[in-house]
Amino acid sequence: MFTTDMLESQQKEVRMNQFDSDTLERIILFAYTGKIRISTNNVQSLLSAANFLQLTPVQEHCANFLNARLNTANVLGIRALAATYNCQSIMKVADRFIQKHFLTVAQSEEFLNLDVDSVISILSKDELFVDNEEQVFEISMKWLQHDLPNRAIHSHKLLATVRLTLLKPHFITDEVCKHPIVRSSLVCRDLIDEAKDYHLIPERRALMRTFRTKQRCCHDVPGIVYAIGGLNTANDVMSMVEIFDPLSRKWSIAKSMGTVRSRVGVAVMQRKLYAIGGFNGIDRLRTVEVFDAQKSTWSEVAPLNNKRSALCAAALGECLYVCGGYDGISSLSTVEIFNPSTNKWKFGKVMKRQRCAAGVAVIGGCLYIMGGHDGMSIFNSVERYNSEKDDWESVSPMLSKRCRLGAVAFDGKIYVAGGYDGTQFLRTAEVYDPDKDTWTYISPMILKRSRVSLVVNNGLIYAIAGYDGDSNLSSMEIYRPNENIWTLGPNMIAHEGGVGVGVIPISPEQL
């Protein structure tokens, strides 16, 4: 301003009309002292001045001040303020807060008074923390009804943000189709017809690989990690369960299972944890137990058709899938599917190969099985089950052959780590991108880990327990995907390897 040919360089007095004297004084003091006092009364004026004067350090101080004070009552206002001054750091933190606390934020008066573009932006996010898509539909209708005469014209835009294909068919029929706002719009009815076709004509689902078929998943929500069964220091099979709270960073003992199990399959569905099959030290098991965290109780459900240990278990849609394993005689290629509503198991499409001690992960509505062995050979091959086609297909193999590996899905990719390749116990880890159908090595774990379990919790990947070739492990490592680094976490207090692991997420109401 003063050292170039700008007009102000020739003036004896320059008027700063953009902000008040107190704000300018604080900024001048900051220039000399590097310190600034921010309060709720001056943060907006300071942010405005810092933006105008391009004072990045002051913007960062304001951002830290606001981010530390976010709550469900003010987050939308703070987000709007940040957008006014293009303060990306505040916007990013506010967006994550809105996603995590969506159900509470959506009940606020601020939300109901948002403009249509802002509401659409929020409802379109993949990481909204909701129990089901029905909640998104109900909130979208509530926003429309808040000022229906002026908002009715936007009904189709709001309904397009609801992932109708994820709604239960009876909800579509009983609630969505009969809703007066939906019935009054031809475009809304077209969207409903599309969702009905998805449910009624499964062979057309491949044509709808859009955001409307993608499950929402909030990675910022902490859950409780459950480590079940496995071995103790004396190498005895256990029924004991311990849990890890990522907030306190402590392990503690929880309610034990009714049966001792190692090499057990674990899957979580609808906030219930299933312990499937396994080995009791004498024989392979068919029995299945389910843990209800709210009641802190274990109960038995229908047993498997085949006894299995070292199996793959995962939730896909509204069913549990169990793939492969070992029955005490041979490795298995068979698949069983459990429907909790009927409490029955049925056989599914057989895998291409017999696979024991493989890894499993679910992304994009497909089930992926990685590696494992058939009693003779260890594999690097990967096959994918498409429930719409009811068929298995081969995809790109892993870079390393592995059995007894850990595998987990996170942010649209599959991570695998550890295992055994027939000659050595592994530290290496790799990641699979389904869009490119390629595997890439990432940073190796700190320790060699065969029989390792991987889970995702609160945006981090946990590698728990295992065997390093000499001894069973009670240790845990934590991987930060954004930084590509592993760090050691707290050791388990009761287990020595062989555990099955699952995460029970908290509900939106518990936040």
Side-chain angles (χ1 to χ4, degrees), residues 63-220:
N64 292 337
F65 180 89
L66 290 171
N67 290 340
R69 287 159 178 78
L70 285 177
N71 59 54
T72 54
N74 67 19
V75 64
L76 293 172
I78 289 176
R79 208 277 182 198
L81 176 66
T84 300
Y85 302 115
N86 195 32
C87 191
Q88 294 294 324
S89 62
I90 302 176
M91 292 167 65
K92 184 176 180 180
V93 173
D95 283 341
R96 291 177 64 177
F97 187 96
I98 291 167
Q99 290 168 172
K100 184 176 178 179
H101 300 275
F102 169 68
L103 293 182
T104 303
V105 171
Q107 303 305 318
S108 68
E109 196 68 23
E110 270 191 326
F111 180 86
L112 293 175
N113 290 325
L114 286 176
D115 62 84
V116 63
D117 291 335
S118 297
V119 173
I120 289 173
S121 175
I122 293 172
L123 297 183
S124 299
K125 294 183 182 300
D126 289 337
E127 292 200 12
L128 288 186
F129 184 35
V130 292
D131 277 322
N132 49 61
E133 200 66 17
E134 285 87 342
Q135 292 171 327
V136 182
F137 171 77
E138 290 164 355
I139 287 168
S140 67
M141 293 300 106
K142 183 176 180 180
W143 182 86
L144 288 167
Q145 289 170 323
H146 190 67
D147 185 9
L148 191 57
N150 294 311
R151 294 179 177 178
I153 59 172
H154 302 305
S155 60
H156 65 285
K157 298 178 184 177
L158 269 290
L159 193 64
T161 66
V162 180
R163 301 176 185 191
L164 297 172
T165 60
L166 303 182
L167 298 174
K168 292 181 174 63
H170 68 80
F171 186 88
I172 295 176
T173 302
D174 297 342
E175 301 295 334
V176 182
C177 290
K178 295 179 180 179
H179 200 288
I181 294 177
V182 174
R183 292 176 61 188
S184 64
S185 168
L186 289 174
V187 182
C188 285
R189 297 201 304 241
D190 287 342
L191 291 169
I192 298 300
D193 289 341
E194 182 184 59
K196 286 183 175 180
D197 287 347
Y198 181 87
H199 288 289
L200 294 172
I201 314 175
E203 58 269 24
R204 292 187 184 176
R205 292 179 182 177
L207 303 175
M208 281 190 64
R209 286 294 180 195
T210 68
F211 75 93
R212 292 179 193 170
T213 62
K214 184 178 181 181
Q215 292 280 354
R216 301 184 197 257
C217 180
C218 185
H219 298 301
D220 289 333

Side-chain angles (χ1 to χ4, degrees), residues 18-20 22-24 26-27 38-52 58 62 81 85:
Q18 291 79 8
F19 24 79
D20 57 54
D22 180 69
T23 299
L24 184 57
R26 289 177 185 272
I27 284 187
I38 303 174
S39 68
T40 54
N41 293 325
N42 67 15
V43 63
Q44 183 170 347
S45 59
L46 285 172
L47 186 60
S48 173
N51 179 69
F52 179 79
V58 175
C62 290
L81 176 66
Y85 302 115

